Amino acid sequence: MLPTLRGRLIVSCQAYPGEPLRHPDTMARIAQSAVIGGAAAIRSQGLDDIRAIARAVSVPQIGLWKVDAEGVFITPTLDHAIAVAEAGAQVVALDGTRRERPDGRTLQQTIRELKQRVDVLVMADAGGVDDALAAEDAGADIVGTTLAGYTGDRPRTDGPDLELVRTLAARLSAPLFAEGRIHTPADARAALDAGAYSVVVGTAITHPASITSWYVDALAEARRARADAQPQD
């Protein structure tokens, strides 16, 4: 399955709690639209969304389960990972950092036990170089830059962390998926040129509230610039 994703776009279809789009049927329709546009795979969050998307599209699905929003919250335990796989994901994305996990297992133990229970690939969402190398050693099939800028290992760049992508592409044997703050087609191209195996884009495609705010902010900045340029009495 992995070779079908090489050099391709993966679209992340997620909505935050309380948002109008946060409904499995809605996420499934967005996933269908992404596939029509050429997405090679879908990344999704939550068991109901994973099930709905698995029914709606035939491309591979990277599933995860966010629990809370601090610390290790992306598919944080072995039980969560098994549930994601059983919901229909071909790849389970989980926290790939070296932080302590809620169930006390190491990342290596989690991956080993998960693969003993279900036939699934594992994507480790890393926060930096040491996380990524440790995740590969722990048995991750895919390493992602998802958490770069969110764990304290790396500064939060405005766009994708291309320096991290270049470094990891040169040091990892496992496929590297660039993810995080990829806002334009040019960003996606730059990530691929930096050595990424695949590129994951979410907000810039599937989150209209954020996209709208980018335009609103740009226009507000233009109004401020015009006001500043006005002659003062």
Side-chain angles (χ1 to χ4, degrees), residues 54-138:
R55 291 192 296 269
V57 302
S58 58
V59 300
Q61 189 174 179
I62 301 170
L64 60 122
W65 186 353
K66 289 181 178 175
V67 180
D68 299 323
E70 301 291 336
V72 176
F73 68 93
I74 298 177
T75 322
T77 71
L78 174 63
D79 289 343
H80 290 108
I82 292 171
V84 167
E86 291 180 342
Q90 288 78 30
V91 180
V92 174
L94 41 74
D95 185 291
T97 69
R98 292 158 293 149
R99 298 177 294 187
E100 184 177 350
R101 311 176 75 80
D103 62 2
R105 289 179 172 85
T106 65
L107 179 60
Q108 184 176 40
Q109 290 169 332
T110 300
I111 293 174
R112 183 177 64 244
E113 293 182 48
L114 175 62
K115 286 177 172 284
Q116 288 171 348
R117 298 278 293 274
V118 290
D119 182 16
V120 72
L121 298 179
V122 171
M123 175 176 173
D125 292 344
V129 175
D130 291 340
D131 282 346
L133 296 176
E136 182 178 58
D137 288 343

Side-chain angles (χ1 to χ4, degrees), residues 18 20 26-27 29 62 77 85 95 97 120 136 184 196 203 205 207:
T26 304
M27 288 296 108
R29 289 175 184 271
I62 301 170
T77 71
D95 185 291
T97 69
V120 72
E136 182 178 58
T184 67
T203 300
I205 295 176
H207 199 257

Side-chain angles (χ1 to χ4, degrees), residues 122-213:
V122 171
M123 175 176 173
D125 292 344
V129 175
D130 291 340
D131 282 346
L133 296 176
E136 182 178 58
D137 288 343
D141 302 288
I142 302 161
V143 176
T145 58
T146 318
L147 292 173
Y150 299 103
T151 65
D153 275 6
R154 305 280 302 176
R156 190 176 302 187
T157 51
D158 290 335
D161 190 341
L162 296 177
E163 179 183 324
L164 178 63
V165 173
R166 290 189 193 94
T167 301
L168 293 181
R171 299 185 63 177
L172 289 173
S173 298
L176 173 68
F177 285 14
E179 181 173 12
R181 301 179 298 281
I182 299 173
H183 291 159
T184 67
D187 285 344
R189 169 67 188 269
L192 205 62
D193 288 345
Y197 189 93
S198 303
V199 177
V200 183
V201 178
T203 300
I205 295 176
T206 62
H207 199 257
S210 294
I211 299 166
T212 302
S213 73

Side-chain angles (χ1 to χ4, degrees), residues 26-43:
T26 304
M27 288 296 108
R29 289 175 184 271
I30 291 174
Q32 287 176 308
S33 297
V35 172
I36 290 171
I42 298 296
R43 178 169 161 122

